[in-house]
Every structure is written in structure tokens, then in C-alpha cells.
Amino acid sequence: MILDFQKSDGLVTAVIQDHATGRVLMVGYMNEEAFRKTVETGFATFYSRSRQKLWLKGESSGHKLVVKQISTDCDRDAVLVQVEALGPGVCHEGYQSCFFRTLAGGDWRVSEDRAYDPDAVYGGKA
Amino acid sequence: MILDFQKSDGLVTAVIQDHATGRVLMVGYMNEEAFRKTVETGFATFYSRSRQKLWLKGESSGHKLVVKQISTDCDRDAVLVQVEALGPGVCHEGYQSCFFRTLAGGDWRVSEDRAYDPDAVYGGKA
């Protein structure tokens, strides 16, 4: 049984979850090559839709995602990747999770403090 | 600040997570109307890409998803919806989570028992 890469133009949706805390850290997309590299290397690798190329998460920041378990859903167009996150956060804006804004009273509000200084890690490139 | 519905043809990716256990239950997609209905009604509503229409999760099964909290990610093209799931499972195949297959030794294997009989709930329509 293989993943269905056809439904979304060659990509599957990849939900990244901290294997220890259960926190959802980010959502990315994988083409067939990114998925294969994720499995083979044990580090989460995505396909960047904006840059149109493979993207080893943590390549520049060092904040790699060590794969612990991979699941797929009933229609096989999404994967759930449980990881150990190396580093204080996965978000290039400095937060532990990319989901750092919560809906409250009709507005999106930042609901947590930064876990690290993104300028120090990404050198202002983020 | 509004969600970015443009990046994926009018849709945002919606990750559904059990608010109590942290389990990721399913991934769906929402257009602007589905997102608005989710917020206004308090029940997760999706846009079905295959049927090209709005879809109130649980409309036929009764297994609705009560919204507890909604977050969005740094580029605002995905939402994380924490829910209380009414009913034994969200997957139309009878499982608690749609992510019931786990990668093991290169194969996807069903890694849990069914939580309910889908034929009894969906009347064989699933």
C-alpha cells in the first residue's frame, strides 16, 4: 500500500507532532522523494511549495526533527510524523510550535513566549 | 489578521486533535465558509475536495467534533482545531483516529482495533 500523492499535486500533508508531549509542532508537505528521505534518513524532510525544492528541516538552524513513528490516514493523503525535536523550537519565528497564535474573541493572539531568538539562529534570514 | 486561503486554492489545512488526550484524529480542509461555520457553530465543518461542498463532520454519523480551541500557524495557511469528539471515533472506517496505520518495516500496518462498526453507523454508505 502506498501513499496517495496524486490528490494534492504530488504532495501529502505532513503533521508533525512531538512524540513525548503530543504537541502539534508544524504542518508541512512532502512529495514522494521527501517522504522517502524522511524514512531513509530518520530526519523529517519536506517539499517547500514556495521554493519548489526539498527542505531538510533544521538544515540551517540545527533544529532537526528525529522521526519516532509515522502513521497515515484512511485515504492515505496525509501522514502523521511523531518526532523528537532537536532544539528549543521548530518555528522560524522563534516559537516552540508554529501554532503559537490562538483565536480569542475573533482575533488571533500570540498565546506563548518565544523559545529562542530567531535572529541569532537564522541570522536575520528568516 | 486573517487566514491565507490563497496558497492552497481557497483552502487551509485543518488538523483535528483531541483536546484531552492530544491524539491527532484527522486532517481535513476548510474554505473560508467552512472555517466561519466552524467558529460560529462550534462544530468542526470542512470543505470536501472530492464532493466539492461543505461537510459538517458528524452530520450523518452523529460523531460531531465540538471545538475547544483553534490555533493558526506562522504562515496562516493551516489551523489546529482542538476538539471534544462526540462518539467513539472520527474515522468512517470505524477507528478512533483516521491515523490507524503505522509504518513498520516498510509496510503500513493497522495498529489498533476498530472503535465501532462503521456499517452500523453509516449503513454501508462509507
Side-chain angles (χ1 to χ4, degrees), chain B residues 16-47:
Chain B
I16 306 298
Q17 182 179 35
D18 187 294
H19 81 111
T21 67
R23 184 160 193 197
V24 174
L25 300 174
M26 60 175 285
V27 169
Y29 300 89
M30 295 179 181
N31 63 5
E32 200 157 357
E33 188 183 359
F35 178 72
R36 188 170 46 75
K37 281 194 180 289
T38 297
V39 173
E40 286 177 0
T41 66
F43 292 104
T45 305
F46 302 96
Y47 180 80

PDB file of all heavy atoms in Angstrom, chain B residues 16-47:
ATOM      1  N   ILE B  16      -7.066  18.120  13.214  1.00  0.00           N
ATOM      2  CA  ILE B  16      -8.015  17.934  14.310  1.00  0.00           C
ATOM      3  C   ILE B  16      -7.368  17.092  15.397  1.00  0.00           C
ATOM      4  O   ILE B  16      -6.926  15.961  15.142  1.00  0.00           O
ATOM      5  CB  ILE B  16      -9.302  17.241  13.814  1.00  0.00           C
ATOM      6  CG1 ILE B  16      -9.891  18.004  12.632  1.00  0.00           C
ATOM      7  CG2 ILE B  16     -10.301  17.099  14.958  1.00  0.00           C
ATOM      8  CD1 ILE B  16     -10.304  19.427  12.932  1.00  0.00           C
ATOM      9  N   GLN B  17      -7.320  17.652  16.602  1.00  0.00           N
ATOM     10  CA  GLN B  17      -6.636  16.994  17.715  1.00  0.00           C
ATOM     11  C   GLN B  17      -7.589  16.871  18.901  1.00  0.00           C
ATOM     12  O   GLN B  17      -8.291  17.826  19.239  1.00  0.00           O
ATOM     13  CB  GLN B  17      -5.412  17.824  18.120  1.00  0.00           C
ATOM     14  CG  GLN B  17      -4.577  17.207  19.242  1.00  0.00           C
ATOM     15  CD  GLN B  17      -3.349  18.038  19.598  1.00  0.00           C
ATOM     16  OE1 GLN B  17      -3.393  19.254  19.552  1.00  0.00           O
ATOM     17  NE2 GLN B  17      -2.267  17.370  19.952  1.00  0.00           N
ATOM     18  N   ASP B  18      -7.605  15.712  19.529  1.00  0.00           N
ATOM     19  CA  ASP B  18      -8.395  15.535  20.751  1.00  0.00           C
ATOM     20  C   ASP B  18      -7.827  16.431  21.848  1.00  0.00           C
ATOM     21  O   ASP B  18      -6.644  16.338  22.170  1.00  0.00           O
ATOM     22  CB  ASP B  18      -8.361  14.065  21.187  1.00  0.00           C
ATOM     23  CG  ASP B  18      -9.303  13.784  22.345  1.00  0.00           C
ATOM     24  OD1 ASP B  18      -9.061  14.321  23.455  1.00  0.00           O
ATOM     25  OD2 ASP B  18     -10.272  13.042  22.146  1.00  0.00           O
ATOM     26  N   HIS B  19      -8.662  17.294  22.395  1.00  0.00           N
ATOM     27  CA  HIS B  19      -8.156  18.290  23.350  1.00  0.00           C
ATOM     28  C   HIS B  19      -7.735  17.651  24.663  1.00  0.00           C
ATOM     29  O   HIS B  19      -6.891  18.210  25.381  1.00  0.00           O
ATOM     30  CB  HIS B  19      -9.224  19.369  23.603  1.00  0.00           C
ATOM     31  CG  HIS B  19     -10.267  18.962  24.598  1.00  0.00           C
ATOM     32  ND1 HIS B  19     -10.376  19.544  25.843  1.00  0.00           N
ATOM     33  CD2 HIS B  19     -11.239  18.012  24.548  1.00  0.00           C
ATOM     34  CE1 HIS B  19     -11.370  18.975  26.505  1.00  0.00           C
ATOM     35  NE2 HIS B  19     -11.919  18.058  25.743  1.00  0.00           N
ATOM     36  N   ALA B  20      -8.277  16.485  24.981  1.00  0.00           N
ATOM     37  CA  ALA B  20      -7.968  15.862  26.272  1.00  0.00           C
ATOM     38  C   ALA B  20      -6.760  14.928  26.171  1.00  0.00           C
ATOM     39  O   ALA B  20      -5.881  14.955  27.029  1.00  0.00           O
ATOM     40  CB  ALA B  20      -9.174  15.085  26.788  1.00  0.00           C
ATOM     41  N   THR B  21      -6.705  14.130  25.112  1.00  0.00           N
ATOM     42  CA  THR B  21      -5.629  13.130  25.018  1.00  0.00           C
ATOM     43  C   THR B  21      -4.459  13.599  24.165  1.00  0.00           C
ATOM     44  O   THR B  21      -3.381  13.015  24.220  1.00  0.00           O
ATOM     45  CB  THR B  21      -6.152  11.830  24.389  1.00  0.00           C
ATOM     46  OG1 THR B  21      -6.492  12.086  23.017  1.00  0.00           O
ATOM     47  CG2 THR B  21      -7.383  11.309  25.123  1.00  0.00           C
ATOM     48  N   GLY B  22      -4.683  14.616  23.320  1.00  0.00           N
ATOM     49  CA  GLY B  22      -3.631  15.075  22.420  1.00  0.00           C
ATOM     50  C   GLY B  22      -3.524  14.250  21.148  1.00  0.00           C
ATOM     51  O   GLY B  22      -2.710  14.546  20.285  1.00  0.00           O
ATOM     52  N   ARG B  23      -4.348  13.226  21.002  1.00  0.00           N
ATOM     53  CA  ARG B  23      -4.257  12.410  19.800  1.00  0.00           C
ATOM     54  C   ARG B  23      -4.713  13.192  18.569  1.00  0.00           C
ATOM     55  O   ARG B  23      -5.756  13.870  18.609  1.00  0.00           O
ATOM     56  CB  ARG B  23      -5.116  11.145  19.954  1.00  0.00           C
ATOM     57  CG  ARG B  23      -4.947  10.249  18.747  1.00  0.00           C
ATOM     58  CD  ARG B  23      -5.333   8.827  18.955  1.00  0.00           C
ATOM     59  NE  ARG B  23      -4.838   8.047  17.829  1.00  0.00           N
ATOM     60  CZ  ARG B  23      -5.249   6.848  17.508  1.00  0.00           C
ATOM     61  NH1 ARG B  23      -6.145   6.239  18.260  1.00  0.00           N
ATOM     62  NH2 ARG B  23      -4.748   6.218  16.454  1.00  0.00           N
ATOM     63  N   VAL B  24      -3.945  13.073  17.487  1.00  0.00           N
ATOM     64  CA  VAL B  24      -4.368  13.668  16.218  1.00  0.00           C
ATOM     65  C   VAL B  24      -5.399  12.734  15.599  1.00  0.00           C
ATOM     66  O   VAL B  24      -5.123  11.548  15.377  1.00  0.00           O
ATOM     67  CB  VAL B  24      -3.178  13.893  15.271  1.00  0.00           C
ATOM     68  CG1 VAL B  24      -3.656  14.384  13.913  1.00  0.00           C
ATOM     69  CG2 VAL B  24      -2.208  14.910  15.883  1.00  0.00           C
ATOM     70  N   LEU B  25      -6.583  13.252  15.340  1.00  0.00           N
ATOM     71  CA  LEU B  25      -7.707  12.420  14.920  1.00  0.00           C
ATOM     72  C   LEU B  25      -7.888  12.392  13.413  1.00  0.00           C
ATOM     73  O   LEU B  25      -8.254  11.362  12.843  1.00  0.00           O
ATOM     74  CB  LEU B  25      -8.997  12.920  15.579  1.00  0.00           C
ATOM     75  CG  LEU B  25      -8.989  12.902  17.123  1.00  0.00           C
ATOM     76  CD1 LEU B  25     -10.259  13.542  17.662  1.00  0.00           C
ATOM     77  CD2 LEU B  25      -8.850  11.472  17.645  1.00  0.00           C
ATOM     78  N   MET B  26      -7.685  13.508  12.758  1.00  0.00           N
ATOM     79  CA  MET B  26      -7.872  13.553  11.299  1.00  0.00           C
ATOM     80  C   MET B  26      -7.279  14.844  10.770  1.00  0.00           C
ATOM     81  O   MET B  26      -6.954  15.765  11.517  1.00  0.00           O
ATOM     82  CB  MET B  26      -9.359  13.475  10.933  1.00  0.00           C
ATOM     83  CG  MET B  26     -10.198  14.591  11.486  1.00  0.00           C
ATOM     84  SD  MET B  26     -11.946  14.557  10.934  1.00  0.00           S
ATOM     85  CE  MET B  26     -11.815  15.141   9.241  1.00  0.00           C
ATOM     86  N   VAL B  27      -7.146  14.883   9.445  1.00  0.00           N
ATOM     87  CA  VAL B  27      -6.779  16.105   8.734  1.00  0.00           C
ATOM     88  C   VAL B  27      -7.870  16.375   7.714  1.00  0.00           C
ATOM     89  O   VAL B  27      -8.270  15.466   6.976  1.00  0.00           O
ATOM     90  CB  VAL B  27      -5.416  15.959   8.023  1.00  0.00           C
ATOM     91  CG1 VAL B  27      -5.165  17.122   7.074  1.00  0.00           C
ATOM     92  CG2 VAL B  27      -4.295  15.879   9.046  1.00  0.00           C
ATOM     93  N   GLY B  28      -8.381  17.591   7.704  1.00  0.00           N
ATOM     94  CA  GLY B  28      -9.356  17.988   6.702  1.00  0.00           C
ATOM     95  C   GLY B  28      -8.961  19.325   6.109  1.00  0.00           C
ATOM     96  O   GLY B  28      -7.874  19.847   6.393  1.00  0.00           O
ATOM     97  N   TYR B  29      -9.835  19.866   5.292  1.00  0.00           N
ATOM     98  CA  TYR B  29      -9.556  21.149   4.645  1.00  0.00           C
ATOM     99  C   TYR B  29     -10.770  22.045   4.832  1.00  0.00           C
ATOM    100  O   TYR B  29     -11.916  21.571   4.835  1.00  0.00           O
ATOM    101  CB  TYR B  29      -9.216  20.926   3.166  1.00  0.00           C
ATOM    102  CG  TYR B  29      -7.995  20.043   3.076  1.00  0.00           C
ATOM    103  CD1 TYR B  29      -8.119  18.646   3.037  1.00  0.00           C
ATOM    104  CD2 TYR B  29      -6.717  20.581   3.149  1.00  0.00           C
ATOM    105  CE1 TYR B  29      -6.997  17.822   3.052  1.00  0.00           C
ATOM    106  CE2 TYR B  29      -5.588  19.764   3.168  1.00  0.00           C
ATOM    107  CZ  TYR B  29      -5.739  18.393   3.115  1.00  0.00           C
ATOM    108  OH  TYR B  29      -4.622  17.587   3.152  1.00  0.00           O
ATOM    109  N   MET B  30     -10.530  23.319   4.995  1.00  0.00           N
ATOM    110  CA  MET B  30     -11.617  24.283   5.172  1.00  0.00           C
ATOM    111  C   MET B  30     -11.456  25.424   4.177  1.00  0.00           C
ATOM    112  O   MET B  30     -10.353  25.955   4.017  1.00  0.00           O
ATOM    113  CB  MET B  30     -11.583  24.876   6.596  1.00  0.00           C
ATOM    114  CG  MET B  30     -11.844  23.876   7.717  1.00  0.00           C
ATOM    115  SD  MET B  30     -11.761  24.688   9.353  1.00  0.00           S
ATOM    116  CE  MET B  30     -12.088  23.270  10.436  1.00  0.00           C
ATOM    117  N   ASN B  31     -12.561  25.783   3.520  1.00  0.00           N
ATOM    118  CA  ASN B  31     -12.555  27.043   2.789  1.00  0.00           C
ATOM    119  C   ASN B  31     -13.046  28.127   3.754  1.00  0.00           C
ATOM    120  O   ASN B  31     -13.281  27.856   4.934  1.00  0.00           O
ATOM    121  CB  ASN B  31     -13.392  26.953   1.502  1.00  0.00           C
ATOM    122  CG  ASN B  31     -14.861  26.689   1.773  1.00  0.00           C
ATOM    123  OD1 ASN B  31     -15.308  26.664   2.920  1.00  0.00           O
ATOM    124  ND2 ASN B  31     -15.620  26.473   0.709  1.00  0.00           N
ATOM    125  N   GLU B  32     -13.152  29.344   3.260  1.00  0.00           N
ATOM    126  CA  GLU B  32     -13.468  30.444   4.171  1.00  0.00           C
ATOM    127  C   GLU B  32     -14.823  30.207   4.852  1.00  0.00           C
ATOM    128  O   GLU B  32     -14.987  30.478   6.045  1.00  0.00           O
ATOM    129  CB  GLU B  32     -13.464  31.764   3.389  1.00  0.00           C
ATOM    130  CG  GLU B  32     -13.297  32.956   4.281  1.00  0.00           C
ATOM    131  CD  GLU B  32     -12.732  34.176   3.540  1.00  0.00           C
ATOM    132  OE1 GLU B  32     -12.424  34.072   2.333  1.00  0.00           O
ATOM    133  OE2 GLU B  32     -12.617  35.228   4.188  1.00  0.00           O
ATOM    134  N   GLU B  33     -15.788  29.686   4.089  1.00  0.00           N
ATOM    135  CA  GLU B  33     -17.126  29.469   4.656  1.00  0.00           C
ATOM    136  C   GLU B  33     -17.094  28.351   5.716  1.00  0.00           C
ATOM    137  O   GLU B  33     -17.738  28.460   6.767  1.00  0.00           O
ATOM    138  CB  GLU B  33     -18.115  29.111   3.539  1.00  0.00           C
ATOM    139  CG  GLU B  33     -19.555  29.063   4.020  1.00  0.00           C
ATOM    140  CD  GLU B  33     -20.521  28.642   2.908  1.00  0.00           C
ATOM    141  OE1 GLU B  33     -20.050  28.402   1.770  1.00  0.00           O
ATOM    142  OE2 GLU B  33     -21.730  28.549   3.207  1.00  0.00           O
ATOM    143  N   ALA B  34     -16.368  27.277   5.431  1.00  0.00           N
ATOM    144  CA  ALA B  34     -16.272  26.179   6.398  1.00  0.00           C
ATOM    145  C   ALA B  34     -15.615  26.657   7.684  1.00  0.00           C
ATOM    146  O   ALA B  34     -16.046  26.300   8.787  1.00  0.00           O
ATOM    147  CB  ALA B  34     -15.487  25.008   5.797  1.00  0.00           C
ATOM    148  N   PHE B  35     -14.574  27.472   7.544  1.00  0.00           N
ATOM    149  CA  PHE B  35     -13.912  27.992   8.739  1.00  0.00           C
ATOM    150  C   PHE B  35     -14.868  28.879   9.532  1.00  0.00           C
ATOM    151  O   PHE B  35     -14.957  28.770  10.764  1.00  0.00           O
ATOM    152  CB  PHE B  35     -12.648  28.773   8.368  1.00  0.00           C
ATOM    153  CG  PHE B  35     -11.960  29.359   9.565  1.00  0.00           C
ATOM    154  CD1 PHE B  35     -11.280  28.550  10.461  1.00  0.00           C
ATOM    155  CD2 PHE B  35     -12.023  30.724   9.822  1.00  0.00           C
ATOM    156  CE1 PHE B  35     -10.670  29.088  11.594  1.00  0.00           C
ATOM    157  CE2 PHE B  35     -11.425  31.261  10.955  1.00  0.00           C
ATOM    158  CZ  PHE B  35     -10.742  30.442  11.832  1.00  0.00           C
ATOM    159  N   ARG B  36     -15.604  29.755   8.835  1.00  0.00           N
ATOM    160  CA  ARG B  36     -16.543  30.646   9.508  1.00  0.00           C
ATOM    161  C   ARG B  36     -17.615  29.840  10.235  1.00  0.00           C
ATOM    162  O   ARG B  36     -17.949  30.111  11.383  1.00  0.00           O
ATOM    163  CB  ARG B  36     -17.170  31.606   8.483  1.00  0.00           C
ATOM    164  CG  ARG B  36     -18.032  32.704   9.110  1.00  0.00           C
ATOM    165  CD  ARG B  36     -18.430  33.752   8.094  1.00  0.00           C
ATOM    166  NE  ARG B  36     -18.919  33.196   6.835  1.00  0.00           N
ATOM    167  CZ  ARG B  36     -20.114  32.651   6.662  1.00  0.00           C
ATOM    168  NH1 ARG B  36     -20.951  32.571   7.662  1.00  0.00           N
ATOM    169  NH2 ARG B  36     -20.480  32.180   5.478  1.00  0.00           N
ATOM    170  N   LYS B  37     -18.134  28.805   9.576  1.00  0.00           N
ATOM    171  CA  LYS B  37     -19.164  27.975  10.214  1.00  0.00           C
ATOM    172  C   LYS B  37     -18.596  27.235  11.430  1.00  0.00           C
ATOM    173  O   LYS B  37     -19.273  27.063  12.444  1.00  0.00           O
ATOM    174  CB  LYS B  37     -19.750  26.976   9.214  1.00  0.00           C
ATOM    175  CG  LYS B  37     -20.791  27.614   8.285  1.00  0.00           C
ATOM    176  CD  LYS B  37     -21.586  26.551   7.563  1.00  0.00           C
ATOM    177  CE  LYS B  37     -22.625  27.150   6.627  1.00  0.00           C
ATOM    178  NZ  LYS B  37     -23.764  27.775   7.337  1.00  0.00           N
ATOM    179  N   THR B  38     -17.361  26.794  11.323  1.00  0.00           N
ATOM    180  CA  THR B  38     -16.715  26.125  12.458  1.00  0.00           C
ATOM    181  C   THR B  38     -16.670  27.048  13.670  1.00  0.00           C
ATOM    182  O   THR B  38     -16.996  26.642  14.788  1.00  0.00           O
ATOM    183  CB  THR B  38     -15.283  25.687  12.071  1.00  0.00           C
ATOM    184  OG1 THR B  38     -15.366  24.735  11.010  1.00  0.00           O
ATOM    185  CG2 THR B  38     -14.544  25.083  13.247  1.00  0.00           C
ATOM    186  N   VAL B  39     -16.291  28.288  13.425  1.00  0.00           N
ATOM    187  CA  VAL B  39     -16.184  29.253  14.526  1.00  0.00           C
ATOM    188  C   VAL B  39     -17.572  29.613  15.048  1.00  0.00           C
ATOM    189  O   VAL B  39     -17.807  29.638  16.265  1.00  0.00           O
ATOM    190  CB  VAL B  39     -15.440  30.527  14.053  1.00  0.00           C
ATOM    191  CG1 VAL B  39     -15.479  31.608  15.136  1.00  0.00           C
ATOM    192  CG2 VAL B  39     -14.008  30.180  13.680  1.00  0.00           C
ATOM    193  N   GLU B  40     -18.510  29.858  14.134  1.00  0.00           N
ATOM    194  CA  GLU B  40     -19.831  30.335  14.553  1.00  0.00           C
ATOM    195  C   GLU B  40     -20.660  29.255  15.252  1.00  0.00           C
ATOM    196  O   GLU B  40     -21.373  29.535  16.213  1.00  0.00           O
ATOM    197  CB  GLU B  40     -20.610  30.855  13.334  1.00  0.00           C
ATOM    198  CG  GLU B  40     -20.089  32.198  12.836  1.00  0.00           C
ATOM    199  CD  GLU B  40     -20.807  32.676  11.581  1.00  0.00           C
ATOM    200  OE1 GLU B  40     -21.726  31.974  11.087  1.00  0.00           O
ATOM    201  OE2 GLU B  40     -20.423  33.755  11.074  1.00  0.00           O
ATOM    202  N   THR B  41     -20.572  28.024  14.747  1.00  0.00           N
ATOM    203  CA  THR B  41     -21.417  26.967  15.311  1.00  0.00           C
ATOM    204  C   THR B  41     -20.737  26.216  16.448  1.00  0.00           C
ATOM    205  O   THR B  41     -21.414  25.576  17.264  1.00  0.00           O
ATOM    206  CB  THR B  41     -21.792  25.917  14.239  1.00  0.00           C
ATOM    207  OG1 THR B  41     -20.608  25.225  13.827  1.00  0.00           O
ATOM    208  CG2 THR B  41     -22.464  26.572  13.044  1.00  0.00           C
ATOM    209  N   GLY B  42     -19.394  26.235  16.468  1.00  0.00           N
ATOM    210  CA  GLY B  42     -18.678  25.466  17.486  1.00  0.00           C
ATOM    211  C   GLY B  42     -18.523  24.002  17.136  1.00  0.00           C
ATOM    212  O   GLY B  42     -18.052  23.210  17.955  1.00  0.00           O
ATOM    213  N   PHE B  43     -18.925  23.638  15.891  1.00  0.00           N
ATOM    214  CA  PHE B  43     -18.736  22.260  15.410  1.00  0.00           C
ATOM    215  C   PHE B  43     -17.842  22.289  14.161  1.00  0.00           C
ATOM    216  O   PHE B  43     -18.082  23.093  13.246  1.00  0.00           O
ATOM    217  CB  PHE B  43     -20.078  21.611  15.049  1.00  0.00           C
ATOM    218  CG  PHE B  43     -20.965  21.350  16.237  1.00  0.00           C
ATOM    219  CD1 PHE B  43     -22.061  22.159  16.490  1.00  0.00           C
ATOM    220  CD2 PHE B  43     -20.696  20.297  17.101  1.00  0.00           C
ATOM    221  CE1 PHE B  43     -22.877  21.938  17.596  1.00  0.00           C
ATOM    222  CE2 PHE B  43     -21.514  20.062  18.206  1.00  0.00           C
ATOM    223  CZ  PHE B  43     -22.595  20.878  18.454  1.00  0.00           C
ATOM    224  N   ALA B  44     -16.842  21.405  14.134  1.00  0.00           N
ATOM    225  CA  ALA B  44     -15.902  21.409  13.004  1.00  0.00           C
ATOM    226  C   ALA B  44     -16.628  21.110  11.697  1.00  0.00           C
ATOM    227  O   ALA B  44     -17.356  20.117  11.587  1.00  0.00           O
ATOM    228  CB  ALA B  44     -14.793  20.388  13.254  1.00  0.00           C
ATOM    229  N   THR B  45     -16.417  21.984  10.730  1.00  0.00           N
ATOM    230  CA  THR B  45     -17.028  21.888   9.404  1.00  0.00           C
ATOM    231  C   THR B  45     -15.914  21.999   8.370  1.00  0.00           C
ATOM    232  O   THR B  45     -15.049  22.856   8.482  1.00  0.00           O
ATOM    233  CB  THR B  45     -18.050  23.032   9.213  1.00  0.00           C
ATOM    234  OG1 THR B  45     -19.000  22.990  10.282  1.00  0.00           O
ATOM    235  CG2 THR B  45     -18.771  22.906   7.887  1.00  0.00           C
ATOM    236  N   PHE B  46     -15.968  21.111   7.393  1.00  0.00           N
ATOM    237  CA  PHE B  46     -14.902  21.046   6.399  1.00  0.00           C
ATOM    238  C   PHE B  46     -15.433  21.328   5.004  1.00  0.00           C
ATOM    239  O   PHE B  46     -16.647  21.380   4.779  1.00  0.00           O
ATOM    240  CB  PHE B  46     -14.256  19.648   6.421  1.00  0.00           C
ATOM    241  CG  PHE B  46     -13.700  19.278   7.757  1.00  0.00           C
ATOM    242  CD1 PHE B  46     -14.436  18.522   8.661  1.00  0.00           C
ATOM    243  CD2 PHE B  46     -12.437  19.694   8.132  1.00  0.00           C
ATOM    244  CE1 PHE B  46     -13.934  18.195   9.911  1.00  0.00           C
ATOM    245  CE2 PHE B  46     -11.927  19.371   9.388  1.00  0.00           C
ATOM    246  CZ  PHE B  46     -12.689  18.613  10.263  1.00  0.00           C
ATOM    247  N   TYR B  47     -14.492  21.469   4.083  1.00  0.00           N
ATOM    248  CA  TYR B  47     -14.849  21.507   2.665  1.00  0.00           C
ATOM    249  C   TYR B  47     -14.337  20.212   2.056  1.00  0.00           C
ATOM    250  O   TYR B  47     -13.140  19.908   2.134  1.00  0.00           O
ATOM    251  CB  TYR B  47     -14.212  22.704   1.972  1.00  0.00           C
ATOM    252  CG  TYR B  47     -14.555  22.773   0.505  1.00  0.00           C
ATOM    253  CD1 TYR B  47     -15.772  23.291   0.079  1.00  0.00           C
ATOM    254  CD2 TYR B  47     -13.667  22.301  -0.461  1.00  0.00           C
ATOM    255  CE1 TYR B  47     -16.100  23.346  -1.256  1.00  0.00           C
ATOM    256  CE2 TYR B  47     -13.991  22.342  -1.805  1.00  0.00           C
ATOM    257  CZ  TYR B  47     -15.209  22.868  -2.203  1.00  0.00           C
ATOM    258  OH  TYR B  47     -15.536  22.908  -3.522  1.00  0.00           O
TER     259      TYR B  47
END
